[in-house]
Amino acid sequence: MSLVSFSLILSGVLLNAVAQLLLKAGANQLGHFAFTWENLWPIALKICTQWPIPVGLFCYAISVVVWILALSRVPVSQAYPLLSIGYVVNALAAWALLGETLTVSRISGIAIILAGVYLIARS
């Protein structure tokens, strides 16, 4: 895999991870709510006005474009497993930025994922 191809994959994965974290931050700002027909429009408006949510959706859109560029260069059987880097990035960022817990089993899973990504990237 070329450096350009790997960079495209990594950029897509990182954009996807940033999008997920922004959506979580926006959801935290919204708080718990009941999604019913009666409050459909007020909740939709509230969702649209929480800046992390539209920015997160924009990051998702850009990540799709980057992912398509990556798939035009790399076989999907090689590219798709590299998406698991997003699990690692999200777990570490959620721990650092959102105060989520990192247990021994999660850290072990991260190590296994990283080992798998290394093996796939080398093939």
Side-chain angles (χ1 to χ4, degrees):
M1 179 183 316
S2 73
L3 182 59
V4 170
S5 298
F6 187 75
S7 297
L8 284 169
I9 291 170
L10 189 59
S11 297
V13 167
L14 292 176
L15 278 166
N16 194 295
V18 167
Q20 195 63 235
L21 292 165
L22 285 167
L23 292 180
K24 175 61 177 165
N28 285 348
Q29 289 177 4
L30 284 174
H32 182 76
F33 61 90
F35 199 68
T36 63
W37 285 109
E38 291 79 34
N39 68 3
L40 177 67
W41 292 113
I43 292 299
L45 181 62
K46 196 171 180 185
I47 286 171
C48 291
T49 59
Q50 298 300 316
W51 73 265
I53 293 175
V55 174
L57 292 173
F58 178 75
C59 286
Y60 269 135
I62 298 300
S63 77
V64 168
V65 172
V66 171
W67 188 248
I68 291 169
L69 287 169
L71 289 177
S72 73
R73 292 164 171 77
V74 178
V76 71
S77 61
Q78 191 177 19
Y80 190 71
L82 296 178
L83 285 176
S84 60
I85 295 170
Y87 299 132
V88 175
V89 172
N90 273 327
L92 296 175
W95 169 73
L97 301 173
L98 302 174
E100 295 186 7
T101 58
L102 267 182
T103 62
V104 172
S105 62
R106 286 185 186 173
I107 294 169
S108 300
I110 288 170
I112 291 168
I113 288 169
L114 289 173
V117 167
Y118 174 75
L119 290 173
I120 290 167
R122 282 190 52 204
S123 65

